[in-house]
Structures are given as C-alpha cells and as structure tokens.
Amino acid sequence: MSVIIQVALPVPLFRFFDYRIESIGQDDLTTLLGKRVSVPFGPRQIVGMIVDVQQDVDYDRSKIKAIIELMDSEAIFDSTFLSLASWLSDFYLHPLGEVIATMLPVLLRKSAKLEWPHIEYLSIDESNSQDLDVKLGRSKLQLALYKQLGIGERALKDIRKTHSAATVKALIDKGLVQKQSKPIQALDWQAQLRIAEKPRPNLEQSIAISTINEAVGFNTFLLEGVTGSGKTEVYLQIIEPLLLAGKQVLILVPEIGLTPQTVSRFESRFGISVGVLHSNLNNKERALVWKQAKEGEIGIVIGTRSSVFTILKNPGMIIVDEEHDESFKQQDGLRYHARDVAAYRSKQLDIPLILGSATPSLESLHNTIVKKFRHLPLTQRAGNATMPTQLLMDMRNQNHQFGIADSMLEKIKVQLEQGNQVMVFVNRRGYAPSIMCHSCGHVESCEPCATPFTVHKSARNLQCHRCAATRYIPNKCSRCGHKELVTEGIGTEQIQLGLEQLFPDYKSIRIDSDSVRGKGKLTRLLTQINNNEYQLLIGTQILSKGHHFPNVTMVLILNVDGALFSADFRAPEKLAQLITQLAGRAGRSDKQGEMWLQTHNPQHPLLQDLINNGYGDFARFALLERKHALLPPYEYQIALRVESTYLLQAEKFLKMSLPIFEQFQKLRAIGPFPAFIEKKQGRFRMLLIVQSASRSYLNKAMTQVVNFLDQQAESKRVKWYVDVNPIDFN
C-alpha cells in the first residue's frame, strides 16, 4: 500500500513536506521514522529525513509526489535523537530540517549510504612469483616493499607513507603484487583495553574522582581546577570504570590544536584507538568515526563543537573540557552552544556531564551557586609545580621597543640566559593593524567592510580580517600619491621580527592562525616547542588554549587596555579568562613562573582584582554586578539580527518588530543598535536584544515574533536570523 510520510528538508522553512511511499507493509510503518529519503523538491533532488507517518489522510494520495529513494535499511536517528532534534529546533528557533542536516555528517546530508568504507590493500600475487630476480632487477626499493608484503597484506595508505607511488605501480605492472579493495573491519575496542600505570591522585583529585564515580544517573559536575591542577588526570580516572563496563565516553575540546595531545594521553592510558572528530578531517574520515561510534566500536570519541551530535551506542559520560571557551558557540546556521546541547543530551541519556575549566563561565558558576551543578574545586597544581606570580607593568612614560617596555626586555633576557622559554602574547596577527600615508593621513581600507587593511609582511600583502580580501602592499598612497607610508600598531609578525633583532642568539616561533595552517602543522610546532627548539614564543589566543609548556617560565601579555573599555558586557569576563589562562602557561614544571601584564591603566579595578585575588574572586564579584544590572545569567537574552546593503532598511525591519514585543509585559527590548562590527562584505549589520527573567516566556514570545516577521514582505528584502543566548555582539 502507499503511505504518506512527512519529511524534514534542509530548507529555511518551519514546516514539513508530504511525500508518498509505495509498497510499504503495515509492519514496516514504525521503522520509517529516522530514515533518509531522496525526494523531488522543485527542480532539485534533495535528501531529507522522515519525521512522521500519516496513514489516514482526507485527500487524494495519488496527487502527492512520490519519493525517489528510501536510502536507509535502518534508521539513522532513533527516537532519542529525533527528540533531540525537535528540542534544538524549538529552543534555538531554527527549522527542523536544517537542524537535522547540521546534526548529520556531511556525507550523510547527501546521498551517501551509511556503510563501512572500503580500503585498498596490497598483497603478493602468488601466481606470478617466479623469476623474481629478473622481474625486480636491481631495484632495491621494489625488493624492500615486496619483502614487507611477504609478511602479510598492508593497507595502501600506510604503504604510501614510506614508499613512492612509482614503486607501488612498478610492482603492480609486473604482476608481483595485487591491489584489492576491502571494507574496514569492525573493531573490538574492549578486547584491546589495557589500563596503563597511573599516578596517585592528590586529596582534591581523589575527592573529585570518588564524588563523580559514586553518582548515579544524570548529574552535572563543574570541575574548577587552576591551570596545571590535573583536570585531565581526573578525566582519565573517572572514565576508567566506564570503559571497563563497556560504556562509551564523548569528550569535547574547544580547539583542534588541543586534540592531538589529548588523544595521545587517552590512547597511552587505555591502549585503545580514540575516535577523533574535527574540521581538519575529510568527510569520509568523519563519517567513519561517526559510524564506528554509532555501532559501539569506539570507546572514546574526542572532538570539537559539532562532535556533540555523535551517536553513542552505549553512552556512559560526556565531558566538556574548557567549558568556558567561546568556540563552543556556533555563530552561523543553527546557533547552538555545544555545552548546552551536551547538558540536554546527558539528561536525555541519564548519564553524568563533566564541565572542566580553570576559568568557568559565569553561567556555570551561577549554576553551582543555585545547586544546579555540583562544584568540585582543584586549587593546587599537580606535582611540584606552583602557581605563577602575576605582576603589572606600568607602561606610562616607559621607553619601549616593538611594543615591549625596555625593563621587560631586560627580564626576558634574564629568563633566556637561564635556559628558559618566554611567551609573548598579543591578540593581533599580521605585522601591523593598519598602514597610512605620512603626508595626508589616509588609511588603506577595505571599503565593503569599512575597516583598515592589516599589513602582512610575510605574505607581502594587505588583508581584511573580516572578509579575507587581499591586495598588494602599495608603494604609494592611493589618495594623494605620496610614497611615504607608515604602519600603525603592532602584530605578531612585527614582534617576532623585533625579538629576533634584539635577541639574535635565540630562536623564535610565531603561533597564530596564519602560521599553523596545514594538516598537522600545529602539532609539529607544539612538539618542537616542548623539545626546546624555540626559546621565544609569540602568538595569539591559540597559545592560551590549555597547552602544556614545561619550559615556559615567563608570560608577557601586551595590548589589553582596549578590552577594559569595551561596550560588550561580557568583555571583562573574557579578558579575565584570557589573562588567567595565559598566566597558567608559566611555571608548569618545577620552575617558578611569572606573568607580566603591560598596561597604561594599572589601577583599573578589574586588573587589580585579578592580580591580587584571582579569577574566582573576580567572577563572583562580576556575578553580583550582572545581578544588579539584570544581565545573564540572571535574565535570558535572544538577539534578533539583520543584515542589509542599506542601513535604513535594516533599521526599519527591526523597528517593525518593536510593537510586537510591547505586547509582552515580561519582556524588555533593547535597540535596535549597530553590531560592534557594523559593516562586513558590503552589508550593514544591526541587532535588537530581547530579554526576560523567564526562559520559557521569552522563547514562546519570540516564536510568535518569528512567525509574524516571516510573513512580512520586508523580511524578504533583508537577511535576518535569531540568536538564542548570544555571546558575541560583533
């Protein structure tokens, strides 16, 4: 018989689409949910997911378009994951079809089948092994490979790591080896599990481990440990009993750069392969790990933000490391926060959630105060390491070179002469933030973004860091033709060149998004740093993300004054987290560390509080400020954002929504006002913030507003979207 199904399609519409499936038996109806179908949609053919089955309809079924193909023999999403998708759609006010597409690996969003991928193997062709001396001749490389294959077949991708394609081709052409394609074999990680020797935890670690291990079902723990306190060791010891019981663990990390060192520690401890998910993998690699986790063939999955949607066959725990990090918030499409999704999933699955950080978000700290989360502090560094000394360098009236005070250069020299490493942080990549004409003052700017070009001397060009536009460095002013051009401000490139000039006997390395491009490059650079191949480390926020540098004894932070006076109410929290995380890179072994903060505002209360009392005291005072100001986490926010090539059109759209918000007594609307980055790629950006003390009230009201705006003609003339719990107003 034919059945009418409702399909969620990856289109920006808050509705489902009816299609017809032929020849479905009564017993098969319940198995349709969560399967993918290929369907006609206008002139296109796209892939969607079945979310409902309708047996009784009051219209002619024959007039409904039939599907093109039922793509899966088994459901991709079970009822739990369909429920998660529905919650995401409701909570983030985003179409369900696009939500489901976001949750799927890229290959499965298309027409790919969920099957084990094939790998090519090389093996000896026994039927053609005569006269080897004649066939191989004097080729030592071919003979070496042939002997390796004599032990047994090997994957072609592994052979190519040590042998050239020409060697492989020659053996195949001579008929000595054969190439075969075989599906990847299923893994039995439990049989491989071997627990390596582990260190004895200190008292605070022991309390955290026993508290978590004794908990039953869903609980959320905030593991607040100072940098170097051994949070990873706690993770290792709390998941050990889960792995022994055959349970799987999902671990989220904020940056790709943290993945290799984290994976290495977990593989060394447990003797099993860890599934890795991040954007540097290709689509096939990501789909394979996703499938292995779904089939229960991987015990541990470690990944960045989107890996929160990994399906686990036998879930035991979810861990979110560095839970405060902004990178867990998706800033386009489905604007979810991986930490919040992890919390919902943990409650769904009735498993514990561990949030770890040296600088917890104010939201998480607030949840410990109201007893929603259980607080587990780690106040001491592991081993013999001590907390670094934190100091301010008053830059007023100081002589400086390349942005570094002369007195600081002397301190750097002392550290280098003692065989230590020094880290210099500046949140500006490139050589200089701008280039200007010394004659007329004109600044070379990206017109579509209305922002100065950044000078990149290593790439020999100017770059716009908003839209990625580039142009050659000019040899004369584009306005007056004068040839004397000067740079303003300092970036990582300039600091590196300056330190190389000032300290020619020591090697320097720059770590920013420009210098670490390429698969595996950051991992190689971090290894070289830990091998003490470089003594001067210059970089941006990449250096602050939880890396362990045992030889770094001094951290110098430049150019933070701008963040002290930002219009963003989250700026003090972000700055405090950054400073504390950077300070934690120093003195992580048995050497005393120190952190210096250069500032022209040494008496600023935020800096004084951080230096003298630490992040914990600052955070609790910041929470009190937020409470009096009626800001998150004491009230909830949703941003209505709009982009348009015409500023007045964007403003008109947001003003059109204001009368609707006035109907809700428990709402406050703030704006409209320009985004902090007002223009990008020729489009003006504005937003309106709506907030309430009730999350559910705010969500229901915003749902009505979205439905109203979607029906207005003005909504078709601008690009607009909703951002629930915004953390960035750029």
Side-chain angles (χ1 to χ4, degrees), residues 367-408:
N367 281 328
T368 65
I369 293 171
V370 299
K371 307 301 182 184
K372 191 174 180 181
F373 295 174
R374 299 174 68 178
H375 190 212
L376 300 172
L378 302 176
T379 60
Q380 301 296 320
R381 282 190 156 183
N384 298 322
T386 57
M387 294 302 295
T389 305
Q390 300 188 39
L391 303 158
L392 295 176
M393 172 59 69
D394 187 352
M395 287 292 287
R396 292 174 296 185
N397 300 315
Q398 283 252 26
N399 293 325
H400 58 86
Q401 300 179 66
F402 307 103
I404 303 175
D406 286 350
S407 54
M408 284 306 312

mmCIF file of all heavy atoms in Angstrom, residues 367-408:
data_model
loop_
_atom_site.group_PDB
_atom_site.id
_atom_site.type_symbol
_atom_site.label_atom_id
_atom_site.label_comp_id
_atom_site.label_asym_id
_atom_site.label_seq_id
_atom_site.Cartn_x
_atom_site.Cartn_y
_atom_site.Cartn_z
ATOM 1 N N ASN A 367 25.248 28.400 38.190
ATOM 2 C CA ASN A 367 24.533 27.131 38.359
ATOM 3 C C ASN A 367 25.050 26.333 39.554
ATOM 4 O O ASN A 367 24.305 25.532 40.138
ATOM 5 C CB ASN A 367 24.633 26.298 37.082
ATOM 6 C CG ASN A 367 23.669 26.761 36.008
ATOM 7 O OD1 ASN A 367 22.579 27.243 36.309
ATOM 8 N ND2 ASN A 367 24.066 26.633 34.754
ATOM 9 N N THR A 368 26.316 26.519 39.926
ATOM 10 C CA THR A 368 26.797 25.870 41.149
ATOM 11 C C THR A 368 26.240 26.563 42.386
ATOM 12 O O THR A 368 25.932 25.909 43.386
ATOM 13 C CB THR A 368 28.336 25.865 41.219
ATOM 14 O OG1 THR A 368 28.828 27.207 41.319
ATOM 15 C CG2 THR A 368 28.933 25.203 39.995
ATOM 16 N N ILE A 369 26.084 27.886 42.315
ATOM 17 C CA ILE A 369 25.556 28.645 43.453
ATOM 18 C C ILE A 369 24.110 28.264 43.745
ATOM 19 O O ILE A 369 23.701 28.134 44.902
ATOM 20 C CB ILE A 369 25.687 30.157 43.189
ATOM 21 C CG1 ILE A 369 27.176 30.552 43.151
ATOM 22 C CG2 ILE A 369 24.947 30.965 44.247
ATOM 23 C CD1 ILE A 369 27.428 31.964 42.684
ATOM 24 N N VAL A 370 23.319 28.063 42.689
ATOM 25 C CA VAL A 370 21.905 27.700 42.870
ATOM 26 C C VAL A 370 21.724 26.181 42.964
ATOM 27 O O VAL A 370 20.596 25.687 42.903
ATOM 28 C CB VAL A 370 21.039 28.276 41.731
ATOM 29 C CG1 VAL A 370 21.111 29.789 41.719
ATOM 30 C CG2 VAL A 370 21.443 27.700 40.367
ATOM 31 N N LYS A 371 22.852 25.445 43.096
ATOM 32 C CA LYS A 371 22.846 23.991 43.304
ATOM 33 C C LYS A 371 22.332 23.189 42.107
ATOM 34 O O LYS A 371 21.935 22.040 42.255
ATOM 35 C CB LYS A 371 22.021 23.622 44.548
ATOM 36 C CG LYS A 371 22.415 24.355 45.815
ATOM 37 C CD LYS A 371 23.877 24.098 46.179
ATOM 38 C CE LYS A 371 24.255 24.808 47.481
ATOM 39 N NZ LYS A 371 25.697 24.650 47.815
ATOM 40 N N LYS A 372 22.373 23.796 40.925
ATOM 41 C CA LYS A 372 22.000 23.049 39.729
ATOM 42 C C LYS A 372 23.166 22.163 39.290
ATOM 43 O O LYS A 372 22.953 21.066 38.761
ATOM 44 C CB LYS A 372 21.613 24.024 38.610
ATOM 45 C CG LYS A 372 20.955 23.368 37.415
ATOM 46 C CD LYS A 372 20.464 24.422 36.425
ATOM 47 C CE LYS A 372 19.799 23.772 35.216
ATOM 48 N NZ LYS A 372 19.325 24.792 34.234
ATOM 49 N N PHE A 373 24.391 22.657 39.475
ATOM 50 C CA PHE A 373 25.603 21.893 39.219
ATOM 51 C C PHE A 373 26.284 21.596 40.553
ATOM 52 O O PHE A 373 26.127 22.342 41.521
ATOM 53 C CB PHE A 373 26.604 22.668 38.351
ATOM 54 C CG PHE A 373 26.157 22.955 36.945
ATOM 55 C CD1 PHE A 373 26.946 23.757 36.120
ATOM 56 C CD2 PHE A 373 24.972 22.454 36.433
ATOM 57 C CE1 PHE A 373 26.557 24.042 34.822
ATOM 58 C CE2 PHE A 373 24.571 22.735 35.137
ATOM 59 C CZ PHE A 373 25.363 23.534 34.333
ATOM 60 N N ARG A 374 27.042 20.506 40.586
ATOM 61 C CA ARG A 374 27.845 20.188 41.761
ATOM 62 C C ARG A 374 29.270 20.677 41.532
ATOM 63 O O ARG A 374 29.880 20.395 40.500
ATOM 64 C CB ARG A 374 27.803 18.687 42.040
ATOM 65 C CG ARG A 374 26.399 18.193 42.328
ATOM 66 C CD ARG A 374 26.322 16.687 42.462
ATOM 67 N NE ARG A 374 27.018 16.197 43.651
ATOM 68 C CZ ARG A 374 27.052 14.924 44.006
ATOM 69 N NH1 ARG A 374 26.445 14.002 43.268
ATOM 70 N NH2 ARG A 374 27.696 14.552 45.105
ATOM 71 N N HIS A 375 29.803 21.416 42.501
ATOM 72 C CA HIS A 375 31.071 22.107 42.348
ATOM 73 C C HIS A 375 32.209 21.271 42.918
ATOM 74 O O HIS A 375 32.166 20.852 44.079
ATOM 75 C CB HIS A 375 31.003 23.465 43.053
ATOM 76 C CG HIS A 375 32.167 24.348 42.754
ATOM 77 N ND1 HIS A 375 32.686 25.245 43.648
ATOM 78 C CD2 HIS A 375 32.928 24.475 41.635
ATOM 79 C CE1 HIS A 375 33.707 25.893 43.103
ATOM 80 N NE2 HIS A 375 33.871 25.436 41.884
ATOM 81 N N LEU A 376 33.248 21.020 42.106
ATOM 82 C CA LEU A 376 34.416 20.258 42.534
ATOM 83 C C LEU A 376 35.661 21.106 42.278
ATOM 84 O O LEU A 376 36.132 21.211 41.146
ATOM 85 C CB LEU A 376 34.516 18.938 41.764
ATOM 86 C CG LEU A 376 33.326 17.976 41.917
ATOM 87 C CD1 LEU A 376 33.476 16.805 40.949
ATOM 88 C CD2 LEU A 376 33.220 17.477 43.346
ATOM 89 N N PRO A 377 36.216 21.755 43.294
ATOM 90 C CA PRO A 377 37.388 22.621 43.092
ATOM 91 C C PRO A 377 38.710 21.857 43.164
ATOM 92 O O PRO A 377 38.862 20.914 43.933
ATOM 93 C CB PRO A 377 37.274 23.623 44.252
ATOM 94 C CG PRO A 377 36.583 22.853 45.337
ATOM 95 C CD PRO A 377 35.670 21.865 44.657
ATOM 96 N N LEU A 378 39.661 22.267 42.323
ATOM 97 C CA LEU A 378 41.046 21.812 42.388
ATOM 98 C C LEU A 378 41.901 23.066 42.512
ATOM 99 O O LEU A 378 42.115 23.778 41.535
ATOM 100 C CB LEU A 378 41.441 21.021 41.130
ATOM 101 C CG LEU A 378 40.629 19.767 40.779
ATOM 102 C CD1 LEU A 378 41.114 19.182 39.452
ATOM 103 C CD2 LEU A 378 40.724 18.730 41.880
ATOM 104 N N THR A 379 42.387 23.345 43.698
ATOM 105 C CA THR A 379 43.040 24.635 43.959
ATOM 106 C C THR A 379 44.561 24.566 43.905
ATOM 107 O O THR A 379 45.223 25.602 43.938
ATOM 108 C CB THR A 379 42.624 25.160 45.345
ATOM 109 O OG1 THR A 379 43.015 24.200 46.345
ATOM 110 C CG2 THR A 379 41.112 25.360 45.410
ATOM 111 N N GLN A 380 45.119 23.327 43.838
ATOM 112 C CA GLN A 380 46.564 23.173 43.854
ATOM 113 C C GLN A 380 47.055 22.573 42.542
ATOM 114 O O GLN A 380 46.399 21.711 41.954
ATOM 115 C CB GLN A 380 46.990 22.253 45.007
ATOM 116 C CG GLN A 380 46.566 22.737 46.377
ATOM 117 C CD GLN A 380 47.228 24.055 46.750
ATOM 118 O OE1 GLN A 380 48.415 24.265 46.462
ATOM 119 N NE2 GLN A 380 46.479 24.944 47.388
ATOM 120 N N ARG A 381 48.205 23.031 42.088
ATOM 121 C CA ARG A 381 48.812 22.431 40.911
ATOM 122 C C ARG A 381 49.346 21.036 41.236
ATOM 123 O O ARG A 381 49.777 20.771 42.358
ATOM 124 C CB ARG A 381 49.948 23.308 40.377
ATOM 125 C CG ARG A 381 49.445 24.504 39.582
ATOM 126 C CD ARG A 381 50.560 25.215 38.868
ATOM 127 N NE ARG A 381 50.050 25.955 37.724
ATOM 128 C CZ ARG A 381 50.803 26.636 36.879
ATOM 129 N NH1 ARG A 381 52.112 26.668 37.030
ATOM 130 N NH2 ARG A 381 50.256 27.282 35.858
ATOM 131 N N ALA A 382 49.297 20.170 40.227
ATOM 132 C CA ALA A 382 49.759 18.799 40.419
ATOM 133 C C ALA A 382 51.280 18.759 40.538
ATOM 134 O O ALA A 382 51.992 19.616 39.991
ATOM 135 C CB ALA A 382 49.294 17.929 39.256
ATOM 136 N N GLY A 383 51.798 17.749 41.255
ATOM 137 C CA GLY A 383 53.240 17.576 41.384
ATOM 138 C C GLY A 383 53.882 18.689 42.190
ATOM 139 O O GLY A 383 53.321 19.189 43.174
ATOM 140 N N ASN A 384 55.063 19.127 41.760
ATOM 141 C CA ASN A 384 55.813 20.153 42.481
ATOM 142 C C ASN A 384 55.588 21.558 41.930
ATOM 143 O O ASN A 384 56.206 22.512 42.402
ATOM 144 C CB ASN A 384 57.318 19.831 42.424
ATOM 145 C CG ASN A 384 57.646 18.507 43.089
ATOM 146 O OD1 ASN A 384 57.066 18.168 44.112
ATOM 147 N ND2 ASN A 384 58.573 17.757 42.493
ATOM 148 N N ALA A 385 54.729 21.678 40.932
ATOM 149 C CA ALA A 385 54.519 22.985 40.295
ATOM 150 C C ALA A 385 53.777 23.927 41.226
ATOM 151 O O ALA A 385 52.895 23.515 41.989
ATOM 152 C CB ALA A 385 53.736 22.810 38.998
ATOM 153 N N THR A 386 54.151 25.193 41.184
ATOM 154 C CA THR A 386 53.482 26.222 41.983
ATOM 155 C C THR A 386 52.819 27.233 41.058
ATOM 156 O O THR A 386 53.168 27.342 39.881
ATOM 157 C CB THR A 386 54.493 26.949 42.889
ATOM 158 O OG1 THR A 386 55.528 27.515 42.063
ATOM 159 C CG2 THR A 386 55.112 25.984 43.886
ATOM 160 N N MET A 387 51.864 27.968 41.596
ATOM 161 C CA MET A 387 51.163 28.969 40.797
ATOM 162 C C MET A 387 52.117 30.105 40.423
ATOM 163 O O MET A 387 52.963 30.502 41.233
ATOM 164 C CB MET A 387 49.965 29.520 41.559
ATOM 165 C CG MET A 387 48.870 28.497 41.803
ATOM 166 S SD MET A 387 48.227 27.790 40.263
ATOM 167 C CE MET A 387 47.482 29.244 39.510
ATOM 168 N N PRO A 388 52.006 30.655 39.210
ATOM 169 C CA PRO A 388 52.903 31.731 38.794
ATOM 170 C C PRO A 388 52.613 33.034 39.533
ATOM 171 O O PRO A 388 51.483 33.286 39.963
ATOM 172 C CB PRO A 388 52.597 31.875 37.297
ATOM 173 C CG PRO A 388 51.185 31.407 37.159
ATOM 174 C CD PRO A 388 51.025 30.313 38.165
ATOM 175 N N THR A 389 53.642 33.836 39.673
ATOM 176 C CA THR A 389 53.468 35.176 40.228
ATOM 177 C C THR A 389 52.889 36.070 39.139
ATOM 178 O O THR A 389 53.363 36.066 38.006
ATOM 179 C CB THR A 389 54.824 35.736 40.692
ATOM 180 O OG1 THR A 389 55.420 34.814 41.600
ATOM 181 C CG2 THR A 389 54.645 37.090 41.354
ATOM 182 N N GLN A 390 51.849 36.843 39.471
ATOM 183 C CA GLN A 390 51.206 37.716 38.489
ATOM 184 C C GLN A 390 51.510 39.174 38.829
ATOM 185 O O GLN A 390 51.284 39.613 39.960
ATOM 186 C CB GLN A 390 49.702 37.471 38.460
ATOM 187 C CG GLN A 390 49.344 36.036 38.090
ATOM 188 C CD GLN A 390 47.858 35.839 37.883
ATOM 189 O OE1 GLN A 390 47.181 36.697 37.322
ATOM 190 N NE2 GLN A 390 47.344 34.704 38.330
ATOM 191 N N LEU A 391 52.025 39.920 37.839
ATOM 192 C CA LEU A 391 52.514 41.273 38.075
ATOM 193 C C LEU A 391 52.054 42.214 36.966
ATOM 194 O O LEU A 391 51.823 41.796 35.833
ATOM 195 C CB LEU A 391 54.047 41.271 38.137
ATOM 196 C CG LEU A 391 54.677 40.342 39.205
ATOM 197 C CD1 LEU A 391 56.102 40.012 38.835
ATOM 198 C CD2 LEU A 391 54.596 41.002 40.571
ATOM 199 N N LEU A 392 51.933 43.490 37.309
ATOM 200 C CA LEU A 392 51.574 44.527 36.345
ATOM 201 C C LEU A 392 52.804 45.359 36.007
ATOM 202 O O LEU A 392 53.597 45.700 36.885
ATOM 203 C CB LEU A 392 50.489 45.443 36.908
ATOM 204 C CG LEU A 392 49.115 44.824 37.184
ATOM 205 C CD1 LEU A 392 48.200 45.854 37.831
ATOM 206 C CD2 LEU A 392 48.491 44.310 35.903
ATOM 207 N N MET A 393 52.946 45.689 34.730
ATOM 208 C CA MET A 393 53.996 46.595 34.280
ATOM 209 C C MET A 393 53.343 47.890 33.824
ATOM 210 O O MET A 393 52.600 47.908 32.839
ATOM 211 C CB MET A 393 54.793 45.974 33.134
ATOM 212 C CG MET A 393 55.791 46.923 32.469
ATOM 213 S SD MET A 393 57.031 47.593 33.606
ATOM 214 C CE MET A 393 57.998 46.134 33.966
ATOM 215 N N ASP A 394 53.584 48.966 34.581
ATOM 216 C CA ASP A 394 53.020 50.277 34.257
ATOM 217 C C ASP A 394 53.772 50.854 33.050
ATOM 218 O O ASP A 394 54.956 51.156 33.131
ATOM 219 C CB ASP A 394 53.146 51.192 35.472
ATOM 220 C CG ASP A 394 52.420 52.515 35.266
ATOM 221 O OD1 ASP A 394 51.950 52.777 34.136
ATOM 222 O OD2 ASP A 394 52.320 53.289 36.232
ATOM 223 N N MET A 395 53.051 50.988 31.929
ATOM 224 C CA MET A 395 53.672 51.452 30.689
ATOM 225 C C MET A 395 53.741 52.969 30.570
ATOM 226 O O MET A 395 54.341 53.487 29.627
ATOM 227 C CB MET A 395 52.920 50.880 29.489
ATOM 228 C CG MET A 395 53.165 49.407 29.251
ATOM 229 S SD MET A 395 54.855 49.081 28.722
ATOM 230 C CE MET A 395 54.806 49.715 27.042
ATOM 231 N N ARG A 396 53.137 53.678 31.498
ATOM 232 C CA ARG A 396 53.126 55.139 31.392
ATOM 233 C C ARG A 396 54.552 55.691 31.493
ATOM 234 O O ARG A 396 55.302 55.359 32.398
ATOM 235 C CB ARG A 396 52.251 55.735 32.500
ATOM 236 C CG ARG A 396 50.774 55.414 32.336
ATOM 237 C CD ARG A 396 49.938 55.873 33.507
ATOM 238 N NE ARG A 396 50.315 55.177 34.736
ATOM 239 C CZ ARG A 396 49.676 55.326 35.896
ATOM 240 N NH1 ARG A 396 48.650 56.151 35.983
ATOM 241 N NH2 ARG A 396 50.072 54.655 36.965
ATOM 242 N N ASN A 397 54.911 56.502 30.510
ATOM 243 C CA ASN A 397 56.215 57.164 30.436
ATOM 244 C C ASN A 397 57.387 56.178 30.280
ATOM 245 O O ASN A 397 58.536 56.532 30.543
ATOM 246 C CB ASN A 397 56.458 58.044 31.681
ATOM 247 C CG ASN A 397 55.410 59.126 31.816
ATOM 248 O OD1 ASN A 397 55.071 59.793 30.840
ATOM 249 N ND2 ASN A 397 54.881 59.295 33.033
ATOM 250 N N GLN A 398 57.098 54.978 29.844
ATOM 251 C CA GLN A 398 58.148 53.978 29.654
ATOM 252 C C GLN A 398 58.668 54.014 28.219
ATOM 253 O O GLN A 398 57.898 54.143 27.273
ATOM 254 C CB GLN A 398 57.596 52.578 29.933
ATOM 255 C CG GLN A 398 57.450 52.261 31.406
ATOM 256 C CD GLN A 398 58.499 51.258 31.863
ATOM 257 O OE1 GLN A 398 59.588 51.168 31.272
ATOM 258 N NE2 GLN A 398 58.186 50.523 32.906
ATOM 259 N N ASN A 399 59.978 53.872 28.073
ATOM 260 C CA ASN A 399 60.536 53.651 26.747
ATOM 261 C C ASN A 399 60.245 52.210 26.339
ATOM 262 O O ASN A 399 60.253 51.298 27.181
ATOM 263 C CB ASN A 399 62.050 53.888 26.758
ATOM 264 C CG ASN A 399 62.394 55.346 27.003
ATOM 265 O OD1 ASN A 399 61.682 56.244 26.548
ATOM 266 N ND2 ASN A 399 63.480 55.583 27.720
ATOM 267 N N HIS A 400 59.981 52.010 25.059
ATOM 268 C CA HIS A 400 59.667 50.652 24.628
ATOM 269 C C HIS A 400 60.164 50.430 23.200
ATOM 270 O O HIS A 400 60.351 51.370 22.426
ATOM 271 C CB HIS A 400 58.158 50.390 24.712
ATOM 272 C CG HIS A 400 57.324 51.339 23.907
ATOM 273 N ND1 HIS A 400 57.030 51.153 22.572
ATOM 274 C CD2 HIS A 400 56.716 52.516 24.260
ATOM 275 C CE1 HIS A 400 56.272 52.143 22.140
ATOM 276 N NE2 HIS A 400 56.072 52.996 23.133
ATOM 277 N N GLN A 401 60.364 49.176 22.871
ATOM 278 C CA GLN A 401 60.749 48.755 21.528
ATOM 279 C C GLN A 401 59.814 47.643 21.086
ATOM 280 O O GLN A 401 59.609 46.680 21.821
ATOM 281 C CB GLN A 401 62.203 48.253 21.514
ATOM 282 C CG GLN A 401 63.235 49.284 21.959
ATOM 283 C CD GLN A 401 64.639 48.716 21.948
ATOM 284 O OE1 GLN A 401 65.179 48.392 20.880
ATOM 285 N NE2 GLN A 401 65.242 48.596 23.123
ATOM 286 N N PHE A 402 59.244 47.819 19.899
ATOM 287 C CA PHE A 402 58.298 46.835 19.355
ATOM 288 C C PHE A 402 57.155 46.546 20.336
ATOM 289 O O PHE A 402 56.682 45.420 20.456
ATOM 290 C CB PHE A 402 59.024 45.545 18.978
ATOM 291 C CG PHE A 402 60.199 45.754 18.078
ATOM 292 C CD1 PHE A 402 61.491 45.705 18.579
ATOM 293 C CD2 PHE A 402 60.009 46.040 16.723
ATOM 294 C CE1 PHE A 402 62.575 45.917 17.747
ATOM 295 C CE2 PHE A 402 61.095 46.245 15.887
ATOM 296 C CZ PHE A 402 62.378 46.195 16.394
ATOM 297 N N GLY A 403 56.743 47.597 21.059
ATOM 298 C CA GLY A 403 55.622 47.457 21.980
ATOM 299 C C GLY A 403 55.972 46.857 23.317
ATOM 300 O O GLY A 403 55.094 46.655 24.163
ATOM 301 N N ILE A 404 57.240 46.547 23.560
ATOM 302 C CA ILE A 404 57.659 45.926 24.817
ATOM 303 C C ILE A 404 58.540 46.908 25.583
ATOM 304 O O ILE A 404 59.507 47.450 25.042
ATOM 305 C CB ILE A 404 58.435 44.621 24.560
ATOM 306 C CG1 ILE A 404 57.578 43.644 23.741
ATOM 307 C CG2 ILE A 404 58.858 43.972 25.875
ATOM 308 C CD1 ILE A 404 58.309 42.377 23.338
ATOM 309 N N ALA A 405 58.207 47.143 26.855
ATOM 310 C CA ALA A 405 58.960 48.081 27.681
ATOM 311 C C ALA A 405 60.410 47.639 27.816
ATOM 312 O O ALA A 405 60.705 46.438 27.877
ATOM 313 C CB ALA A 405 58.316 48.192 29.063
ATOM 314 N N ASP A 406 61.322 48.607 27.875
ATOM 315 C CA ASP A 406 62.747 48.290 27.993
ATOM 316 C C ASP A 406 63.028 47.448 29.233
ATOM 317 O O ASP A 406 63.855 46.532 29.207
ATOM 318 C CB ASP A 406 63.571 49.580 28.050
ATOM 319 C CG ASP A 406 63.667 50.255 26.681
ATOM 320 O OD1 ASP A 406 63.257 49.620 25.680
ATOM 321 O OD2 ASP A 406 64.137 51.403 26.606
ATOM 322 N N SER A 407 62.334 47.757 30.336
ATOM 323 C CA SER A 407 62.550 46.985 31.565
ATOM 324 C C SER A 407 62.082 45.538 31.393
ATOM 325 O O SER A 407 62.652 44.613 31.985
ATOM 326 C CB SER A 407 61.817 47.633 32.743
ATOM 327 O OG SER A 407 60.441 47.818 32.434
ATOM 328 N N MET A 408 61.036 45.330 30.549
ATOM 329 C CA MET A 408 60.568 43.970 30.285
ATOM 330 C C MET A 408 61.575 43.214 29.414
ATOM 331 O O MET A 408 61.773 42.005 29.580
ATOM 332 C CB MET A 408 59.210 43.993 29.585
ATOM 333 C CG MET A 408 58.029 44.321 30.484
ATOM 334 S SD MET A 408 57.896 43.271 31.943
ATOM 335 C CE MET A 408 58.070 41.656 31.262
#
